[in-house]
């Protein structure tokens, strides 16, 4: 990866983002040495402009930023650093330097689950229930979606909210399995719903 450290006198801004929640956690600056130490240790390290020294985030507090990936922008003079944070990022004790709470949106897990199911589809490990669904074929997968949808309806009419969520989760899982077998993803349905939300959309 090419990084233009010379454009701004040896430093490049490094935007730090939580790899799981996608929240922006902080902004720091790296020189060549800080970048290399980050890559070597997998702990995000910056150049402190006030102290004129390297500092690894968390070396005092223990709230390290564990490196996931680094990307340079289109001009090669800014970095996007994705991490798994070990505790609050800000020195003031907040999750981010903007005072935000760094919690994952549960909806993001649907994409993660889809990734997991796609991996099952490619690898077909023995002993996996998901593998058995793929091997049983389309009829079995569609049957399971129908069964879980019926159980969802029954719970909605005569059950509890807890059971409604339980059965709805079963239906979503089996739907993602079915979509995966067709080369589709749950995001395709989200895109369809977003399209329907636009002014002027008409039913096909």
């Amino acid at each position: 990866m090419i990084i233009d450290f010379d454009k701004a006198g040896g430093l490049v801004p490094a935007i730090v983002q939580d790899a799981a929640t996608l929240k922006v956690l902080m902004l720091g600056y790296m020189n060549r040495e800080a970048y290399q130490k980050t890559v070597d240790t997998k702990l995000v390290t910056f150049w402190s402009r006030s102290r004129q020294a390297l500092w690894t985030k968390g070396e005092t507090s223990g709230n390290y930023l564990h490196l996931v990936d680094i990307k340079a922008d289109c001009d090669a003079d800014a970095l996007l650093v994705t991490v798994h944070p070990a505790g609050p990022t800000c020195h003031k004790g907040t999750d981010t330097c903007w005072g935000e709470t760094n919690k994952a949106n549960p909806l993001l897990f649907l994409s993660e689950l889809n990734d997991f199911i796609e991996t099952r589809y490619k690898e077909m490990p023995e002993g996996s229930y998901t593998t058995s669904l793929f091997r049983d074929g389309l009829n079995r997968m569609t049957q399971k979606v129908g069964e879980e949808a019926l159980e969802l309806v029954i719970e909605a009419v005569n059950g509890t909210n807890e059971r409604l969520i339980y059965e709805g989760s079963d239906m979503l899982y089996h739907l993602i399995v079915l979509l995966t077998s067709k080369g589709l993803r749950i995001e395709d349905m989200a895109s369809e719903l977003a399209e329907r939300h636009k002014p002027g959309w008409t039913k096909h």
Side-chain angles (χ1 to χ4, degrees), residues 24-57:
V24 174
L25 302 177
M26 66 171 293
L27 171 69
Y29 291 86
M30 289 185 180
N31 59 10
R32 285 185 176 84
E33 191 178 357
Y35 168 78
Q36 194 58 53
K37 186 173 180 180
T38 297
V39 171
D40 292 343
T41 65
K42 307 302 182 187
L43 298 175
V44 177
T45 299
F46 301 104
W47 175 258
S48 171
R49 293 171 298 167
S50 59
R51 289 180 285 172
Q52 290 293 293
L54 291 176
W55 64 284
T56 298
K57 185 71 180 74

PDB file of all heavy atoms in Angstrom, residues 24-57:
ATOM      1  N   VAL A  24     -17.349   5.593  13.975  1.00  0.00           N
ATOM      2  CA  VAL A  24     -16.056   6.262  13.982  1.00  0.00           C
ATOM      3  C   VAL A  24     -15.696   6.554  15.429  1.00  0.00           C
ATOM      4  O   VAL A  24     -16.458   7.183  16.159  1.00  0.00           O
ATOM      5  CB  VAL A  24     -16.102   7.558  13.161  1.00  0.00           C
ATOM      6  CG1 VAL A  24     -14.784   8.317  13.296  1.00  0.00           C
ATOM      7  CG2 VAL A  24     -16.379   7.243  11.698  1.00  0.00           C
ATOM      8  N   LEU A  25     -14.523   6.076  15.856  1.00  0.00           N
ATOM      9  CA  LEU A  25     -14.131   6.163  17.261  1.00  0.00           C
ATOM     10  C   LEU A  25     -13.278   7.385  17.564  1.00  0.00           C
ATOM     11  O   LEU A  25     -13.455   8.029  18.596  1.00  0.00           O
ATOM     12  CB  LEU A  25     -13.368   4.900  17.667  1.00  0.00           C
ATOM     13  CG  LEU A  25     -14.106   3.576  17.471  1.00  0.00           C
ATOM     14  CD1 LEU A  25     -13.192   2.411  17.846  1.00  0.00           C
ATOM     15  CD2 LEU A  25     -15.395   3.536  18.280  1.00  0.00           C
ATOM     16  N   MET A  26     -12.345   7.697  16.690  1.00  0.00           N
ATOM     17  CA  MET A  26     -11.430   8.806  16.964  1.00  0.00           C
ATOM     18  C   MET A  26     -10.662   9.169  15.697  1.00  0.00           C
ATOM     19  O   MET A  26     -10.733   8.467  14.684  1.00  0.00           O
ATOM     20  CB  MET A  26     -10.446   8.437  18.073  1.00  0.00           C
ATOM     21  CG  MET A  26      -9.467   7.333  17.702  1.00  0.00           C
ATOM     22  SD  MET A  26      -8.145   7.104  18.929  1.00  0.00           S
ATOM     23  CE  MET A  26      -7.238   8.652  18.764  1.00  0.00           C
ATOM     24  N   LEU A  27      -9.932  10.258  15.792  1.00  0.00           N
ATOM     25  CA  LEU A  27      -9.019  10.679  14.734  1.00  0.00           C
ATOM     26  C   LEU A  27      -7.636  10.867  15.353  1.00  0.00           C
ATOM     27  O   LEU A  27      -7.492  11.541  16.373  1.00  0.00           O
ATOM     28  CB  LEU A  27      -9.482  11.989  14.104  1.00  0.00           C
ATOM     29  CG  LEU A  27      -8.498  12.656  13.132  1.00  0.00           C
ATOM     30  CD1 LEU A  27      -8.364  11.824  11.871  1.00  0.00           C
ATOM     31  CD2 LEU A  27      -8.969  14.069  12.788  1.00  0.00           C
ATOM     32  N   GLY A  28      -6.646  10.262  14.748  1.00  0.00           N
ATOM     33  CA  GLY A  28      -5.263  10.444  15.180  1.00  0.00           C
ATOM     34  C   GLY A  28      -4.384  10.694  13.974  1.00  0.00           C
ATOM     35  O   GLY A  28      -4.883  10.832  12.847  1.00  0.00           O
ATOM     36  N   TYR A  29      -3.072  10.767  14.212  1.00  0.00           N
ATOM     37  CA  TYR A  29      -2.132  11.005  13.122  1.00  0.00           C
ATOM     38  C   TYR A  29      -1.020   9.964  13.175  1.00  0.00           C
ATOM     39  O   TYR A  29      -0.555   9.583  14.255  1.00  0.00           O
ATOM     40  CB  TYR A  29      -1.545  12.416  13.205  1.00  0.00           C
ATOM     41  CG  TYR A  29      -2.577  13.483  12.909  1.00  0.00           C
ATOM     42  CD1 TYR A  29      -3.404  13.965  13.922  1.00  0.00           C
ATOM     43  CD2 TYR A  29      -2.746  13.975  11.620  1.00  0.00           C
ATOM     44  CE1 TYR A  29      -4.378  14.922  13.656  1.00  0.00           C
ATOM     45  CE2 TYR A  29      -3.719  14.936  11.347  1.00  0.00           C
ATOM     46  CZ  TYR A  29      -4.533  15.402  12.368  1.00  0.00           C
ATOM     47  OH  TYR A  29      -5.492  16.330  12.101  1.00  0.00           O
ATOM     48  N   MET A  30      -0.604   9.515  12.013  1.00  0.00           N
ATOM     49  CA  MET A  30       0.484   8.545  11.921  1.00  0.00           C
ATOM     50  C   MET A  30       1.596   9.087  11.039  1.00  0.00           C
ATOM     51  O   MET A  30       1.327   9.747  10.030  1.00  0.00           O
ATOM     52  CB  MET A  30      -0.010   7.229  11.322  1.00  0.00           C
ATOM     53  CG  MET A  30      -0.922   6.412  12.206  1.00  0.00           C
ATOM     54  SD  MET A  30      -1.320   4.816  11.426  1.00  0.00           S
ATOM     55  CE  MET A  30      -2.380   4.100  12.675  1.00  0.00           C
ATOM     56  N   ASN A  31       2.826   8.804  11.454  1.00  0.00           N
ATOM     57  CA  ASN A  31       3.954   8.959  10.548  1.00  0.00           C
ATOM     58  C   ASN A  31       4.376   7.551  10.109  1.00  0.00           C
ATOM     59  O   ASN A  31       3.716   6.565  10.445  1.00  0.00           O
ATOM     60  CB  ASN A  31       5.107   9.730  11.207  1.00  0.00           C
ATOM     61  CG  ASN A  31       5.613   9.050  12.474  1.00  0.00           C
ATOM     62  OD1 ASN A  31       5.238   7.913  12.787  1.00  0.00           O
ATOM     63  ND2 ASN A  31       6.463   9.741  13.220  1.00  0.00           N
ATOM     64  N   ARG A  32       5.447   7.447   9.359  1.00  0.00           N
ATOM     65  CA  ARG A  32       5.860   6.129   8.864  1.00  0.00           C
ATOM     66  C   ARG A  32       6.113   5.144  10.006  1.00  0.00           C
ATOM     67  O   ARG A  32       5.742   3.970   9.940  1.00  0.00           O
ATOM     68  CB  ARG A  32       7.131   6.265   8.010  1.00  0.00           C
ATOM     69  CG  ARG A  32       6.898   6.857   6.638  1.00  0.00           C
ATOM     70  CD  ARG A  32       8.177   6.846   5.816  1.00  0.00           C
ATOM     71  NE  ARG A  32       7.953   7.329   4.460  1.00  0.00           N
ATOM     72  CZ  ARG A  32       7.945   8.608   4.104  1.00  0.00           C
ATOM     73  NH1 ARG A  32       8.161   9.547   5.032  1.00  0.00           N
ATOM     74  NH2 ARG A  32       7.728   8.960   2.847  1.00  0.00           N
ATOM     75  N   GLU A  33       6.756   5.635  11.059  1.00  0.00           N
ATOM     76  CA  GLU A  33       7.105   4.758  12.176  1.00  0.00           C
ATOM     77  C   GLU A  33       5.866   4.275  12.913  1.00  0.00           C
ATOM     78  O   GLU A  33       5.774   3.100  13.290  1.00  0.00           O
ATOM     79  CB  GLU A  33       8.041   5.504  13.138  1.00  0.00           C
ATOM     80  CG  GLU A  33       8.679   4.611  14.185  1.00  0.00           C
ATOM     81  CD  GLU A  33       9.645   5.368  15.087  1.00  0.00           C
ATOM     82  OE1 GLU A  33       9.863   6.581  14.848  1.00  0.00           O
ATOM     83  OE2 GLU A  33      10.172   4.745  16.028  1.00  0.00           O
ATOM     84  N   ALA A  34       4.908   5.160  13.124  1.00  0.00           N
ATOM     85  CA  ALA A  34       3.665   4.780  13.801  1.00  0.00           C
ATOM     86  C   ALA A  34       2.891   3.768  12.974  1.00  0.00           C
ATOM     87  O   ALA A  34       2.345   2.789  13.508  1.00  0.00           O
ATOM     88  CB  ALA A  34       2.813   6.011  14.064  1.00  0.00           C
ATOM     89  N   TYR A  35       2.853   4.011  11.668  1.00  0.00           N
ATOM     90  CA  TYR A  35       2.169   3.070  10.776  1.00  0.00           C
ATOM     91  C   TYR A  35       2.818   1.695  10.840  1.00  0.00           C
ATOM     92  O   TYR A  35       2.134   0.673  10.982  1.00  0.00           O
ATOM     93  CB  TYR A  35       2.190   3.598   9.338  1.00  0.00           C
ATOM     94  CG  TYR A  35       1.772   2.576   8.320  1.00  0.00           C
ATOM     95  CD1 TYR A  35       0.427   2.271   8.125  1.00  0.00           C
ATOM     96  CD2 TYR A  35       2.723   1.891   7.566  1.00  0.00           C
ATOM     97  CE1 TYR A  35       0.044   1.316   7.199  1.00  0.00           C
ATOM     98  CE2 TYR A  35       2.347   0.934   6.640  1.00  0.00           C
ATOM     99  CZ  TYR A  35       1.007   0.649   6.460  1.00  0.00           C
ATOM    100  OH  TYR A  35       0.637  -0.306   5.543  1.00  0.00           O
ATOM    101  N   GLN A  36       4.137   1.655  10.751  1.00  0.00           N
ATOM    102  CA  GLN A  36       4.841   0.375  10.751  1.00  0.00           C
ATOM    103  C   GLN A  36       4.663  -0.365  12.076  1.00  0.00           C
ATOM    104  O   GLN A  36       4.478  -1.588  12.111  1.00  0.00           O
ATOM    105  CB  GLN A  36       6.324   0.581  10.452  1.00  0.00           C
ATOM    106  CG  GLN A  36       7.046  -0.718  10.103  1.00  0.00           C
ATOM    107  CD  GLN A  36       6.430  -1.410   8.899  1.00  0.00           C
ATOM    108  OE1 GLN A  36       6.267  -0.810   7.836  1.00  0.00           O
ATOM    109  NE2 GLN A  36       6.068  -2.678   9.071  1.00  0.00           N
ATOM    110  N   LYS A  37       4.707   0.374  13.189  1.00  0.00           N
ATOM    111  CA  LYS A  37       4.517  -0.261  14.490  1.00  0.00           C
ATOM    112  C   LYS A  37       3.101  -0.817  14.619  1.00  0.00           C
ATOM    113  O   LYS A  37       2.892  -1.891  15.197  1.00  0.00           O
ATOM    114  CB  LYS A  37       4.799   0.733  15.619  1.00  0.00           C
ATOM    115  CG  LYS A  37       4.767   0.087  17.007  1.00  0.00           C
ATOM    116  CD  LYS A  37       5.204   1.049  18.097  1.00  0.00           C
ATOM    117  CE  LYS A  37       5.148   0.347  19.463  1.00  0.00           C
ATOM    118  NZ  LYS A  37       5.561   1.266  20.563  1.00  0.00           N
ATOM    119  N   THR A  38       2.124  -0.089  14.078  1.00  0.00           N
ATOM    120  CA  THR A  38       0.746  -0.568  14.086  1.00  0.00           C
ATOM    121  C   THR A  38       0.638  -1.891  13.326  1.00  0.00           C
ATOM    122  O   THR A  38       0.018  -2.845  13.800  1.00  0.00           O
ATOM    123  CB  THR A  38      -0.185   0.480  13.442  1.00  0.00           C
ATOM    124  OG1 THR A  38      -0.163   1.669  14.236  1.00  0.00           O
ATOM    125  CG2 THR A  38      -1.608  -0.035  13.350  1.00  0.00           C
ATOM    126  N   VAL A  39       1.236  -1.942  12.162  1.00  0.00           N
ATOM    127  CA  VAL A  39       1.198  -3.154  11.339  1.00  0.00           C
ATOM    128  C   VAL A  39       1.921  -4.302  12.033  1.00  0.00           C
ATOM    129  O   VAL A  39       1.442  -5.446  12.047  1.00  0.00           O
ATOM    130  CB  VAL A  39       1.818  -2.879   9.953  1.00  0.00           C
ATOM    131  CG1 VAL A  39       1.978  -4.173   9.165  1.00  0.00           C
ATOM    132  CG2 VAL A  39       0.956  -1.887   9.175  1.00  0.00           C
ATOM    133  N   ASP A  40       3.047  -4.017  12.638  1.00  0.00           N
ATOM    134  CA  ASP A  40       3.861  -5.071  13.259  1.00  0.00           C
ATOM    135  C   ASP A  40       3.238  -5.620  14.535  1.00  0.00           C
ATOM    136  O   ASP A  40       3.285  -6.831  14.785  1.00  0.00           O
ATOM    137  CB  ASP A  40       5.265  -4.536  13.567  1.00  0.00           C
ATOM    138  CG  ASP A  40       6.076  -4.247  12.311  1.00  0.00           C
ATOM    139  OD1 ASP A  40       5.691  -4.750  11.233  1.00  0.00           O
ATOM    140  OD2 ASP A  40       7.070  -3.502  12.403  1.00  0.00           O
ATOM    141  N   THR A  41       2.667  -4.747  15.354  1.00  0.00           N
ATOM    142  CA  THR A  41       2.163  -5.176  16.667  1.00  0.00           C
ATOM    143  C   THR A  41       0.666  -5.477  16.665  1.00  0.00           C
ATOM    144  O   THR A  41       0.153  -6.072  17.610  1.00  0.00           O
ATOM    145  CB  THR A  41       2.423  -4.095  17.733  1.00  0.00           C
ATOM    146  OG1 THR A  41       1.661  -2.916  17.407  1.00  0.00           O
ATOM    147  CG2 THR A  41       3.905  -3.750  17.804  1.00  0.00           C
ATOM    148  N   LYS A  42      -0.026  -5.012  15.619  1.00  0.00           N
ATOM    149  CA  LYS A  42      -1.494  -5.135  15.539  1.00  0.00           C
ATOM    150  C   LYS A  42      -2.195  -4.316  16.618  1.00  0.00           C
ATOM    151  O   LYS A  42      -3.367  -4.548  16.919  1.00  0.00           O
ATOM    152  CB  LYS A  42      -1.943  -6.604  15.617  1.00  0.00           C
ATOM    153  CG  LYS A  42      -1.270  -7.524  14.610  1.00  0.00           C
ATOM    154  CD  LYS A  42      -1.505  -7.057  13.184  1.00  0.00           C
ATOM    155  CE  LYS A  42      -0.855  -8.012  12.179  1.00  0.00           C
ATOM    156  NZ  LYS A  42      -0.936  -7.500  10.792  1.00  0.00           N
ATOM    157  N   LEU A  43      -1.487  -3.372  17.207  1.00  0.00           N
ATOM    158  CA  LEU A  43      -2.054  -2.410  18.154  1.00  0.00           C
ATOM    159  C   LEU A  43      -1.875  -1.023  17.559  1.00  0.00           C
ATOM    160  O   LEU A  43      -0.752  -0.637  17.199  1.00  0.00           O
ATOM    161  CB  LEU A  43      -1.369  -2.497  19.515  1.00  0.00           C
ATOM    162  CG  LEU A  43      -1.488  -3.824  20.257  1.00  0.00           C
ATOM    163  CD1 LEU A  43      -0.641  -3.792  21.537  1.00  0.00           C
ATOM    164  CD2 LEU A  43      -2.945  -4.143  20.600  1.00  0.00           C
ATOM    165  N   VAL A  44      -2.962  -0.263  17.457  1.00  0.00           N
ATOM    166  CA  VAL A  44      -2.901   1.022  16.761  1.00  0.00           C
ATOM    167  C   VAL A  44      -2.006   2.002  17.510  1.00  0.00           C
ATOM    168  O   VAL A  44      -2.176   2.238  18.716  1.00  0.00           O
ATOM    169  CB  VAL A  44      -4.308   1.608  16.575  1.00  0.00           C
ATOM    170  CG1 VAL A  44      -4.229   2.987  15.922  1.00  0.00           C
ATOM    171  CG2 VAL A  44      -5.166   0.673  15.734  1.00  0.00           C
ATOM    172  N   THR A  45      -1.060   2.540  16.788  1.00  0.00           N
ATOM    173  CA  THR A  45      -0.075   3.476  17.333  1.00  0.00           C
ATOM    174  C   THR A  45      -0.097   4.762  16.518  1.00  0.00           C
ATOM    175  O   THR A  45      -0.200   4.728  15.287  1.00  0.00           O
ATOM    176  CB  THR A  45       1.335   2.851  17.297  1.00  0.00           C
ATOM    177  OG1 THR A  45       1.342   1.670  18.103  1.00  0.00           O
ATOM    178  CG2 THR A  45       2.384   3.820  17.813  1.00  0.00           C
ATOM    179  N   PHE A  46      -0.016   5.890  17.214  1.00  0.00           N
ATOM    180  CA  PHE A  46      -0.061   7.197  16.573  1.00  0.00           C
ATOM    181  C   PHE A  46       1.225   7.972  16.857  1.00  0.00           C
ATOM    182  O   PHE A  46       2.042   7.573  17.684  1.00  0.00           O
ATOM    183  CB  PHE A  46      -1.247   8.024  17.105  1.00  0.00           C
ATOM    184  CG  PHE A  46      -2.580   7.385  16.885  1.00  0.00           C
ATOM    185  CD1 PHE A  46      -3.251   6.764  17.937  1.00  0.00           C
ATOM    186  CD2 PHE A  46      -3.191   7.423  15.645  1.00  0.00           C
ATOM    187  CE1 PHE A  46      -4.491   6.186  17.749  1.00  0.00           C
ATOM    188  CE2 PHE A  46      -4.436   6.848  15.442  1.00  0.00           C
ATOM    189  CZ  PHE A  46      -5.083   6.229  16.501  1.00  0.00           C
ATOM    190  N   TRP A  47       1.347   9.102  16.173  1.00  0.00           N
ATOM    191  CA  TRP A  47       2.364  10.087  16.502  1.00  0.00           C
ATOM    192  C   TRP A  47       1.674  11.210  17.251  1.00  0.00           C
ATOM    193  O   TRP A  47       0.747  11.847  16.750  1.00  0.00           O
ATOM    194  CB  TRP A  47       3.044  10.626  15.259  1.00  0.00           C
ATOM    195  CG  TRP A  47       4.019  11.729  15.553  1.00  0.00           C
ATOM    196  CD1 TRP A  47       3.841  13.066  15.393  1.00  0.00           C
ATOM    197  CD2 TRP A  47       5.341  11.578  16.090  1.00  0.00           C
ATOM    198  NE1 TRP A  47       4.954  13.772  15.786  1.00  0.00           N
ATOM    199  CE2 TRP A  47       5.899  12.871  16.224  1.00  0.00           C
ATOM    200  CE3 TRP A  47       6.119  10.480  16.464  1.00  0.00           C
ATOM    201  CZ2 TRP A  47       7.175  13.081  16.713  1.00  0.00           C
ATOM    202  CZ3 TRP A  47       7.389  10.698  16.944  1.00  0.00           C
ATOM    203  CH2 TRP A  47       7.911  11.985  17.070  1.00  0.00           C
ATOM    204  N   SER A  48       2.104  11.456  18.489  1.00  0.00           N
ATOM    205  CA  SER A  48       1.533  12.536  19.293  1.00  0.00           C
ATOM    206  C   SER A  48       2.171  13.851  18.904  1.00  0.00           C
ATOM    207  O   SER A  48       3.387  14.040  19.074  1.00  0.00           O
ATOM    208  CB  SER A  48       1.765  12.254  20.785  1.00  0.00           C
ATOM    209  OG  SER A  48       1.404  13.387  21.550  1.00  0.00           O
ATOM    210  N   ARG A  49       1.372  14.761  18.395  1.00  0.00           N
ATOM    211  CA  ARG A  49       1.899  16.059  17.975  1.00  0.00           C
ATOM    212  C   ARG A  49       2.255  16.930  19.181  1.00  0.00           C
ATOM    213  O   ARG A  49       3.159  17.758  19.105  1.00  0.00           O
ATOM    214  CB  ARG A  49       0.867  16.779  17.104  1.00  0.00           C
ATOM    215  CG  ARG A  49       0.628  16.092  15.764  1.00  0.00           C
ATOM    216  CD  ARG A  49      -0.552  16.707  15.015  1.00  0.00           C
ATOM    217  NE  ARG A  49      -1.784  16.552  15.774  1.00  0.00           N
ATOM    218  CZ  ARG A  49      -2.918  17.199  15.492  1.00  0.00           C
ATOM    219  NH1 ARG A  49      -2.961  18.051  14.473  1.00  0.00           N
ATOM    220  NH2 ARG A  49      -4.005  17.008  16.228  1.00  0.00           N
ATOM    221  N   SER A  50       1.563  16.717  20.295  1.00  0.00           N
ATOM    222  CA  SER A  50       1.860  17.516  21.489  1.00  0.00           C
ATOM    223  C   SER A  50       3.126  17.032  22.190  1.00  0.00           C
ATOM    224  O   SER A  50       3.939  17.823  22.650  1.00  0.00           O
ATOM    225  CB  SER A  50       0.676  17.482  22.460  1.00  0.00           C
ATOM    226  OG  SER A  50       0.392  16.146  22.855  1.00  0.00           O
ATOM    227  N   ARG A  51       3.296  15.706  22.257  1.00  0.00           N
ATOM    228  CA  ARG A  51       4.462  15.143  22.944  1.00  0.00           C
ATOM    229  C   ARG A  51       5.637  14.888  22.016  1.00  0.00           C
ATOM    230  O   ARG A  51       6.738  14.586  22.470  1.00  0.00           O
ATOM    231  CB  ARG A  51       4.070  13.841  23.637  1.00  0.00           C
ATOM    232  CG  ARG A  51       3.169  14.028  24.849  1.00  0.00           C
ATOM    233  CD  ARG A  51       2.818  12.692  25.476  1.00  0.00           C
ATOM    234  NE  ARG A  51       1.829  11.970  24.685  1.00  0.00           N
ATOM    235  CZ  ARG A  51       1.461  10.716  24.914  1.00  0.00           C
ATOM    236  NH1 ARG A  51       2.033  10.022  25.887  1.00  0.00           N
ATOM    237  NH2 ARG A  51       0.561  10.130  24.163  1.00  0.00           N
ATOM    238  N   GLN A  52       5.353  14.968  20.696  1.00  0.00           N
ATOM    239  CA  GLN A  52       6.388  14.680  19.703  1.00  0.00           C
ATOM    240  C   GLN A  52       7.006  13.294  19.942  1.00  0.00           C
ATOM    241  O   GLN A  52       8.227  13.120  20.005  1.00  0.00           O
ATOM    242  CB  GLN A  52       7.467  15.767  19.705  1.00  0.00           C
ATOM    243  CG  GLN A  52       6.994  17.102  19.166  1.00  0.00           C
ATOM    244  CD  GLN A  52       6.669  17.057  17.680  1.00  0.00           C
ATOM    245  OE1 GLN A  52       7.560  16.877  16.840  1.00  0.00           O
ATOM    246  NE2 GLN A  52       5.383  17.199  17.350  1.00  0.00           N
ATOM    247  N   ALA A  53       6.108  12.303  20.081  1.00  0.00           N
ATOM    248  CA  ALA A  53       6.561  10.938  20.341  1.00  0.00           C
ATOM    249  C   ALA A  53       5.497   9.953  19.894  1.00  0.00           C
ATOM    250  O   ALA A  53       4.315  10.301  19.742  1.00  0.00           O
ATOM    251  CB  ALA A  53       6.844  10.751  21.833  1.00  0.00           C
ATOM    252  N   LEU A  54       5.922   8.709  19.702  1.00  0.00           N
ATOM    253  CA  LEU A  54       4.962   7.654  19.394  1.00  0.00           C
ATOM    254  C   LEU A  54       4.139   7.330  20.630  1.00  0.00           C
ATOM    255  O   LEU A  54       4.648   7.380  21.748  1.00  0.00           O
ATOM    256  CB  LEU A  54       5.686   6.386  18.935  1.00  0.00           C
ATOM    257  CG  LEU A  54       6.395   6.403  17.575  1.00  0.00           C
ATOM    258  CD1 LEU A  54       7.111   5.076  17.378  1.00  0.00           C
ATOM    259  CD2 LEU A  54       5.412   6.650  16.444  1.00  0.00           C
ATOM    260  N   TRP A  55       2.870   6.994  20.445  1.00  0.00           N
ATOM    261  CA  TRP A  55       2.077   6.479  21.555  1.00  0.00           C
ATOM    262  C   TRP A  55       1.087   5.433  21.033  1.00  0.00           C
ATOM    263  O   TRP A  55       0.399   5.639  20.051  1.00  0.00           O
ATOM    264  CB  TRP A  55       1.354   7.586  22.312  1.00  0.00           C
ATOM    265  CG  TRP A  55       0.321   8.357  21.549  1.00  0.00           C
ATOM    266  CD1 TRP A  55       0.539   9.318  20.623  1.00  0.00           C
ATOM    267  CD2 TRP A  55      -1.106   8.232  21.662  1.00  0.00           C
ATOM    268  NE1 TRP A  55      -0.646   9.823  20.148  1.00  0.00           N
ATOM    269  CE2 TRP A  55      -1.677   9.186  20.758  1.00  0.00           C
ATOM    270  CE3 TRP A  55      -1.961   7.444  22.436  1.00  0.00           C
ATOM    271  CZ2 TRP A  55      -3.050   9.337  20.608  1.00  0.00           C
ATOM    272  CZ3 TRP A  55      -3.335   7.602  22.274  1.00  0.00           C
ATOM    273  CH2 TRP A  55      -3.860   8.530  21.375  1.00  0.00           C
ATOM    274  N   THR A  56       1.111   4.298  21.701  1.00  0.00           N
ATOM    275  CA  THR A  56       0.180   3.227  21.377  1.00  0.00           C
ATOM    276  C   THR A  56      -1.090   3.440  22.178  1.00  0.00           C
ATOM    277  O   THR A  56      -1.052   3.514  23.411  1.00  0.00           O
ATOM    278  CB  THR A  56       0.787   1.851  21.702  1.00  0.00           C
ATOM    279  OG1 THR A  56       1.958   1.663  20.892  1.00  0.00           O
ATOM    280  CG2 THR A  56      -0.205   0.733  21.412  1.00  0.00           C
ATOM    281  N   LYS A  57      -2.210   3.560  21.507  1.00  0.00           N
ATOM    282  CA  LYS A  57      -3.480   3.809  22.190  1.00  0.00           C
ATOM    283  C   LYS A  57      -3.761   2.677  23.166  1.00  0.00           C
ATOM    284  O   LYS A  57      -3.757   1.506  22.798  1.00  0.00           O
ATOM    285  CB  LYS A  57      -4.624   3.889  21.161  1.00  0.00           C
ATOM    286  CG  LYS A  57      -5.961   4.270  21.764  1.00  0.00           C
ATOM    287  CD  LYS A  57      -5.974   5.721  22.199  1.00  0.00           C
ATOM    288  CE  LYS A  57      -7.322   6.103  22.796  1.00  0.00           C
ATOM    289  NZ  LYS A  57      -7.547   5.561  24.152  1.00  0.00           N
TER     290      LYS A  57
END
